Amino acid sequence: MRKQFRVFGLLAFVWMFTWANHCFADDGYKLWLSYAKISDRAFAAQYNQQLKQIYFAEGIGSNNVARIELMKGVAAMLQLTPQVTKPGDAGLLIGTQKTLPASVIKTLPAVTHDEGYVIKTITTNNHKQVVIAGKTQTGVLYGVFNFLRLLQTQQPISTLNINEYPRLERRVLNHWDNLNRTVERGYAGASIWNWHKLPGYIEQQYIDYARANASIGINGTVLNNVNANALMLSPEYLVKVKALADAFRPYGIRVYLSVKFSSPIEVGKLKTADPLNSEVRQWWKDKVDEIYKYVPDFGGFLVKANSEGQPGPQAYGRNHADGANMMAEALAPHNGIVMWRAFVYDSNPLNDRAKQAYDEFKPLDGKFADNVIVQVKNGAIDFQPREPFHPLFGAMKKTPLMMEFQITQEYTGFSTHLFYEGPLFKEVLGADTYAEGKGTTVAKVIEKKPHSKAVTGIAGVSNIGTDRNWCGHPFAQSNWYAFGRMAWNPEQSSAQIADDWLRMTFTNNKSFVQPMVQQMLQSRENTVNYMTPLGLHHIMGINTHYGPGPWVNKAERPDWTSVHYHKADSLGIGFDRSSTGSKATSQYAPQVQQMFDNPATCPDSNLLWFHHVSWTYKMRSGKTLWFELVHHYYEGVDSVRRLQTVWNGMQGKVDQEQFNSVKQLIAIQLQEAIRWRDACVLYFQTFSKQPIPAGYEKPAHPLSYYRDQQFHFAPGIGGNI
Ligand code: BDP
């Protein structure tokens, strides 16, 4: 009997141990809101003392999302259920400027921005109190998330004096999600919008999505692909859109839709979509009125027109302003906006696609309605690992411009490469356009309102899907996070954002955080090196955009090939966009133009973007172009090996499941980096006819091997379905 007991006891113990391990394993679902128990005793004691009693001002009832989040975070991090109390007794007071006691408000700076907030430590009768005060409930929510971040990253709270407001008004995710739940350029599973079960079923993931976005200040979401399906505007789908909008509203998130320009024909059964046709204009007005009945705070439309086969106003001899203004007119009475994309290139490519957006939009500067904002990709080709900033940012002085970044890693390693986008965002936002003299950075351009009714904004193409960890790669979450933080304030450093993210997601352990911040900061350059160093671009596999494809020389159109962009020949390599070539440099302000136009002043990092350079050209390093190119490719791979070594040393410092996941992904990244390197070096060698220098490991296979490799069903192929 006793023996049986013992066996039973042992089995029970083993089961409990396994169960506990299973429960505590981190599968990445919680994102940066993991609210891990505070391990530092001194901080835990300080926070406990301060948070034992909390005052919630009127309007912050028990179902208020800021209150729920705060209580949830505090319970998890401190194992504490605070007592809800009167203002005088509380260690933490939360409310709006109108609802907090006047005696408290008078100690705080005024919050003027609708989404702004202050967090301040004040002393009342020798009693330290922390106050979180927003102008609106959304401001309160943002303040609460900031406060929770302080706890998550173990910061002192005894002398807080934080005064925050967003620099850009519309901070929006763009989902390239189709109605059949495929995601164009999505690498993290299916679309999280379960259209079939909507409107009846609100998944927990929608709420967690809204929480995560609110925690970083994202206040809008475009639900569907820019290659839009006209069905989106049918009542069948609008009722589903309403359900999502209702779920997101408490979190300060507005819903927007991508619309297809030909919707009046497809949904409205009209004969034309001509923007100057009165029936068409009326159709849009009626449709917009209908949408606002479902969603009273609907944000507006995102439009891809006359680009990559999408319909647009040019089919009727009209221009982008005619198209945008027609929709703007319908949206204006409801305060809706049109985000009209500048990513355009027609089916009859000019000599240089990089010039087309400028050529089409610059003449329209000042011709757009007040509630139109032109959404411009960060670079003029297409979200490459590195592109010089888009010339339109320095060129549209009378038109509000919205930045479009691509968070999803279409060209930067899908969801198998650790590529932290913070440095990429920073590089573009900090680039000097010289549009209004030195210091007119891209960030300043997008923050500025060219007219009093202008809206400002920034968009990020989402990397979210149904994968348990949302983004496929645990570190891909950092790109969603960094986008939100930089959208709030483009001045923030990518190092600080990486530091916060690592602490909130994994651990505050310095021996983990410090080396991993360095690895994250380096990761963008690693990928540039093993994919497209020195300004190379668009040399990836055709259609899927997976892996290297510098040899691609046939496609439906020349500007979908790689040879069109690298132009390698026996003399050299690179696309001459200077004044001796396509003259794309002339689209920049004179100071920028001069710098890019001359190979001697053009930064190495953009050299082959702007110049066709001889293989023997002497680089700043003293190496010839060929050796420099080879060096970058090899350095790219070596840096992934260093990343691998650093990560392998992290076992035991982070959750084992997360550790294993990243470990396996880095191993794949390394293989893919080697493939990129070897394929490109061997291919370009057929033109340079020069050796790979001694001391560099030789590619394992001949060029034909890399050319012949096939990757069926690589993810991310979309379409407007
Ligand atoms: C490219 C993608 C394509 C998108 C297009 C766009 O390859 O799938 O539809 O951009 O932004 O990067 O419209």
Side-chain angles (χ1 to χ4, degrees), residues 503 507-517 646 649-650 652-654:
R503 288 170 187 272
T507 169
N508 276 284
N509 182 343
K510 278 202 186 102
S511 67
F512 172 78
V513 175
Q514 284 173 356
M516 284 315 295
V517 168
V646 172
M650 296 305 172
K653 294 187 175 159
V654 291

Side-chain angles (χ1 to χ4, degrees), residues 537-553:
H537 51 285
H538 206 293
I539 55 170
M540 65 287 157
I542 194 163
N543 297 331
T544 61
H545 297 172
Y546 175 70
W551 45 77
V552 172
N553 58 5

Side-chain angles (χ1 to χ4, degrees), residues 176 184-185 225-227 304 308 341 343 377 382-383 404 406 410-411 545:
W176 285 359
E184 179 144 354
R185 311 308 175 184
N225 192 354
V226 285
N227 296 318
K304 171 175 178 178
E308 298 185 327
R341 294 177 91 220
F343 178 69
K377 288 190 180 181
D382 199 2
F383 298 137
E404 178 176 322
Q406 191 181 43
E410 174 179 2
Y411 298 102
H545 297 172

Side-chain angles (χ1 to χ4, degrees), residues 255-568:
V255 156
Y256 300 75
L257 292 177
S258 291
V259 293
K260 192 168 185 181
F261 196 79
S262 54
S263 299
I265 302 173
E266 287 168 64
V267 182
K269 307 287 174 235
L270 300 187
K271 293 220 163 52
T272 174
D274 181 349
L276 299 193
N277 175 297
S278 56
E279 263 185 287
V280 172
R281 296 177 89 89
Q282 192 56 47
W283 186 85
W284 281 107
K285 283 187 191 151
D286 294 344
K287 184 48 78 180
V288 166
D289 292 347
E290 184 189 344
I291 296 174
Y292 278 89
K293 290 206 180 95
Y294 289 102
V295 185
D297 56 354
F298 178 67
F301 292 152
L302 172 64
V303 193
K304 171 175 178 178
N306 292 119
S307 173
E308 298 185 327
Q310 290 300 317
Q314 290 171 352
Y316 308 95
R318 318 296 182 198
N319 63 35
H320 288 291
D322 296 328
N325 293 349
M326 165 193 64
M327 294 187 190
E329 181 186 53
L331 287 155
H334 305 278
N335 294 322
I337 62 165
V338 178
M339 299 170 287
W340 191 270
R341 294 177 91 220
F343 178 69
V344 294
Y345 58 99
D346 61 26
S347 49
N348 180 19
L350 308 163
N351 61 350
D352 185 0
R353 175 174 134 191
K355 289 170 65 184
Q356 197 172 336
Y358 178 103
D359 287 344
E360 285 191 26
F361 280 80
K362 169 81 181 154
L364 300 177
D365 191 17
K367 304 229 159 72
F368 289 94
D370 285 347
N371 55 335
V372 176
I373 180 164
V374 174
Q375 183 167 313
V376 184
K377 288 190 180 181
N378 59 274
I381 293 292
D382 199 2
F383 298 137
Q384 297 299 293
R386 169 169 281 121
E387 294 195 29
F389 72 87
H390 201 302
L392 274 177
F393 287 115
M396 301 280 281
K397 300 195 176 146
K398 299 184 209 136
T399 309
L401 299 180
M402 184 164 181
M403 169 63 73
E404 178 176 322
F405 283 127
Q406 191 181 43
I407 308 173
T408 189
Q409 293 175 238
E410 174 179 2
Y411 298 102
T412 57
F414 288 16
S415 55
T416 48
H417 294 216
L418 193 163
F419 181 108
Y420 171 52
E421 291 164 4
L424 186 160
F425 299 159
K426 254 339 244 195
E427 181 175 291
V428 179
L429 292 166
D432 199 342
T433 67
Y434 283 86
E436 279 163 31
K438 193 169 163 45
T440 321
T441 60
V442 171
K444 286 201 176 134
V445 170
I446 60 174
E447 284 171 30
K448 193 172 162 183
K449 289 181 181 246
H451 54 79
S452 63
K453 293 194 181 140
V455 285
T456 61
I458 185 165
V461 180
S462 150
N463 62 351
I464 298 164
T466 49
D467 275 9
R468 184 66 192 157
N469 70 2
W470 300 80
C471 306
H473 195 306
F475 276 77
Q477 297 178 354
S478 70
N479 295 329
W480 175 9
Y481 182 81
F483 168 76
R485 293 284 303 272
M486 274 191 205
W488 181 271
N489 180 3
E491 295 301 315
Q492 284 181 94
S493 86
S494 35
Q496 183 59 54
I497 294 172
D499 190 282
D500 285 346
W501 178 79
L502 284 165
R503 288 170 187 272
M504 294 163 80
T505 307
F506 294 108
T507 169
N508 276 284
N509 182 343
K510 278 202 186 102
S511 67
F512 172 78
V513 175
Q514 284 173 356
M516 284 315 295
V517 168
Q518 291 316 314
Q519 289 303 321
M520 285 175 76
L521 292 178
Q522 178 59 44
S523 64
R524 188 276 182 117
E525 211 57 43
N526 298 349
T527 302
V528 169
N529 280 334
Y530 62 70
M531 285 187 182
T532 51
L534 302 177
L536 285 175
H537 51 285
H538 206 293
I539 55 170
M540 65 287 157
I542 194 163
N543 297 331
T544 61
H545 297 172
Y546 175 70
W551 45 77
V552 172
N553 58 5
K554 271 198 215 82
E556 268 169 69
R557 15 183 318 163
D559 58 350
W560 284 353
T561 68
S562 302
V563 296
H564 175 79
Y565 292 97
H566 62 66
K567 301 207 186 299

